[in-house]
Amino acid sequence: MFNYYDYNGFMKNDNLASRILAIILSLAIVLSATSCARSEDAPATYADLFFDTVINVTLYEYPGSSSAIFDRCRDACSLYESLLSPTDPDSDVWKVNHAKSFPVAISRETADVIAFALEYCELSDGLMDVSA
């Protein structure tokens, strides 16, 4: 159980499951590459290991340096891994999972991810339940 504030400033109490990492990973990859369009040129690729998963990003066309967009992808994955890792004692998720129902201070980014995941839980009528 942890406390966070929703967008209206109301305190919420919810459980957090590590499945939220899969949501963030998917969103980070999709959002990082959505502005790319297919080109005749060979695509630029980037691979790294985050969330105990190999991350592959392919850019088919980008008007600037592909290394700049890959740096942004790496930075986003690194940030969310540091906040949401269930195995890193410095992460928000690890602290929540080991708080034994006591309130835990978490970052704004973590609270936003949890709120987003809870919206998906509601939209799916509980089929994707991050609190289980």
Side-chain angles (χ1 to χ4, degrees):
M1 188 76 88
F2 69 97
N3 296 328
Y4 71 94
Y5 293 92
D6 68 9
Y7 291 109
N8 298 317
F10 295 104
M11 185 182 296
K12 298 286 187 175
N13 297 318
D14 292 293
N15 291 326
L16 175 68
S18 63
R19 284 188 277 168
I20 201 162
L21 291 175
I23 296 167
I24 293 305
L25 171 64
S26 300
L27 290 174
I29 299 304
V30 169
L31 293 175
S32 296
T34 54
S35 65
C36 302
R38 189 161 179 86
S39 169
E40 305 298 308
D41 299 329
T45 60
Y46 165 75
D48 212 331
L49 181 67
F50 288 102
F51 316 109
D52 294 328
T53 302
V54 175
I55 306 298
N56 291 298
V57 179
T58 302
L59 298 177
Y60 291 95
E61 184 177 321
Y62 184 68
S65 167
S66 61
S67 64
I69 198 92
F70 291 147
D71 288 344
R72 289 175 40 202
C73 291
R74 183 180 53 251
D75 292 347
C77 287
S78 182
L79 169 69
Y80 285 107
E81 182 171 49
S82 71
L83 295 174
L84 304 173
S85 172
T87 59
D88 179 1
D90 293 326
S91 79
D92 289 348
V93 169
W94 191 93
K95 291 173 186 173
V96 167
N97 288 342
H98 292 83
K100 302 184 193 269
S101 298
F102 291 103
V104 175
I106 60 174
S107 71
R108 182 75 223 164
E109 293 88 350
T110 300
D112 288 344
V113 167
I114 293 166
F116 187 74
L118 291 173
E119 286 179 36
Y120 268 92
C121 182
E122 185 177 327
L123 289 171
S124 69
D125 292 325
L127 292 176
M128 200 213 76
D129 186 2
V130 298
S131 66

